[in-house]
Amino acid sequence: MRALQFDKSGIENLKLVEVSNPEVGSHDVRIKVKFAGVNPIDYFVVNYLPVKPMPHIPGAEVYGEIESVGDHVKSLKPGDRVIVYNRLFDGTCDMCLSSMEMLCRNGGIMSVITNGGYAEYLTVPEKNVFKVPDSMSEEVASSLPVAGLTAYHALKEAGVNSNDVVVVFGASGNTGQFAVQLAKKMGAKVIAVSKKAWLKDFGADYVTTYDKVVEDVSRVTGGKMASVVINSVGSSVWDLSLSSLGVNGRLVFFGGITGSEVKLNLSQIYGNHAKIIGTTGGRRIELMELLESCNDCKVKVWKTFSLEEGKEALKALFDPARDGRILLKIQ
């Protein structure tokens, strides 16, 4: 099969190669990969993170079709449209038993501690695979395992409800566009921070820019500020995130594409009784919930690249002209 693979860190070392098809264990399924998402995690895997095995195939977000199943697989069959929950977990540690599989003490992220989905075929355990409804588009399905799930888990951890005003930084990005839609589904009033007017079609009640966000949030809330702020961007908007947050508010953050180090004004946090919540990934049950509730979700795809164009796809994450998601069409 064809796969994108590197033998040492650095995007310049990413090459299209021929490798053997992955074997199928008795509790595994082999997926014919149709689309794979392009996310910051994939860029970090290729360039910075310690990974195994080496040589290594990246790709954390996978949608495809079951090609074959192991002898003990009962819930899936060849031809099923599926997505992959990308956290490997043992199912027996305290985190797993609390339905926090993404924090498994003996697990990790598929594509970091195993090969990923930037290949024509991927073999994964049955327990990591979920059927996609017939009515769901390939683009939405391809975006649920990372972009959708990360945003959904963050909103649930913040307890978003119909009484909330939610500010989403990075609203036009991979996770941001789902955070806007899903917060609106939860009944919140949503303020998207972006230059992209199309976010109104995704459920944003207001769209504002970084230089006006604090002023506009104050105007919308009558000076109370937001009850929930979602920061998917990193350190570059940390101060703006806190300035947009109201008394007793919840600031939820994940990812650090613009940096991971910030300075904290502790009195600003405890004086406002602010809650700062870090999240990563999401639960399997939450991915199931998304599959049931996201048939009407949208995804803005900016560009679709071929497997041969993997390097260009990863570099395009940082293109100032990027307007939505980037996908790899594998086959």
Side-chain angles (χ1 to χ4, degrees):
M1 69 172 183
R2 298 183 309 150
L4 284 173
Q5 189 183 75
F6 60 95
D7 55 8
K8 58 183 177 180
S9 292
I11 197 168
E12 68 278 4
N13 300 310
L14 191 64
K15 297 181 175 109
L16 187 66
V17 298
E18 283 284 342
V19 297
S20 299
N21 283 1
E23 296 183 358
V24 182
S26 60
H27 294 279
D28 296 336
V29 302
R30 185 160 59 210
I31 297 169
K32 180 180 181 181
V33 181
K34 310 287 277 185
F35 283 94
V38 178
N39 296 285
I41 179 63
D42 306 308
Y43 186 86
F44 295 139
V45 162
V46 171
N47 287 287
Y48 305 115
L49 296 179
V51 298
K52 60 182 182 181
M54 286 292 268
H56 194 76
I57 301 169
E61 191 171 40
V62 172
Y63 158 78
E65 180 181 293
I66 299 291
E67 185 262 347
S68 60
V69 302
D71 294 339
H72 296 300
V73 172
K74 304 299 182 187
S75 64
L76 300 162
K77 65 183 186 303
D80 285 343
R81 299 170 68 222
V82 295
I83 57 175
V84 177
Y85 178 73
N86 70 0
R87 299 295 176 122
L88 294 174
F89 59 97
D90 60 19
T92 60
C93 75
D94 56 334
M95 292 293 103
C96 289
L97 294 174
S98 302
S99 295
M100 299 284 280
E101 300 96 338
M102 69 285 187
L103 300 179
C104 177
R105 298 189 187 277
N106 302 302
I109 301 175
M110 203 175 290
S111 83
V112 177
I113 67 169
T114 67
N115 281 320
Y118 286 180
E120 291 181 319
Y121 294 93
L122 175 69
T123 295
V124 292
E126 177 186 15
K127 65 184 180 181
N128 285 79
V129 180
F130 295 91
K131 291 181 186 178
V132 173
D134 292 340
S135 56
M136 183 173 285
S137 73
E138 291 184 316
E139 292 78 12
V140 170
S142 302
S143 301
L144 292 186
V146 173
L149 181 58
T150 302
Y152 185 53
H153 177 67
L155 292 167
K156 290 193 72 175
E157 287 294 295
V160 171
N161 59 59
S162 59
N163 296 317
D164 286 318
V165 174
V166 178
V167 172
V168 180
F169 284 90
S172 62
N174 294 358
T175 55
Q177 57 183 283
F178 278 96
V180 168
Q181 294 177 80
L182 296 169
K184 190 63 182 175
K185 278 179 173 286
M186 293 172 177
K189 184 176 291 184
V190 182
I191 302 174
V193 188
S194 172
K195 294 179 180 178
K196 312 298 184 183
W198 54 260
L199 285 160
K200 286 252 179 114
D201 295 331
F202 278 59
D205 296 286
Y206 305 92
V207 178
T208 186
T209 52
Y210 288 168
D211 58 331
K212 294 181 178 178
V213 58
V214 175
E215 175 187 344
D216 283 346
V217 172
S218 179
R219 176 179 53 81
V220 169
T221 62
K224 293 179 180 179
M225 309 308 287
S227 49
V228 177
V229 172
I230 304 293
N231 177 356
S232 65
V233 178
S235 60
S236 66
V237 298
W238 184 260
D239 290 340
L240 281 177
S241 297
L242 281 173
S243 297
S244 302
L245 192 67
V247 172
N248 204 34
R250 295 95 77 194
L251 167 57
V252 191
F253 66 97
F254 49 85
I257 198 166
T258 65
S260 299
E261 295 187 3
V262 298
K263 289 184 178 180
L264 286 180
N265 182 332
L266 295 180
S267 63
Q268 182 185 18
I269 296 168
Y270 68 68
N272 284 318
H273 212 273
K275 299 169 181 65
I276 297 179
I277 306 167
T279 63
T280 182
R283 303 175 173 93
R284 281 194 305 165
I285 185 65
E286 291 169 338
L287 188 55
M288 292 175 66
E289 290 168 359
L290 280 177
L291 285 165
E292 292 172 359
S293 66
C294 234
N295 264 328
D296 59 345
C297 286
K298 302 176 183 178
V299 61
K300 169 79 168 174
V301 177
W302 177 52
K303 285 187 179 181
T304 300
F305 292 83
S306 67
L307 192 58
E308 293 86 347
E309 299 170 318
K311 284 183 186 179
E312 290 75 16
L314 286 169
K315 290 176 181 176
L317 279 171
F318 302 95
D319 188 330
R322 180 161 75 95
D323 188 18
R325 289 228 62 187
I326 300 168
L327 297 176
L328 281 185
K329 182 171 174 51
I330 309 294
Q331 54 183 329

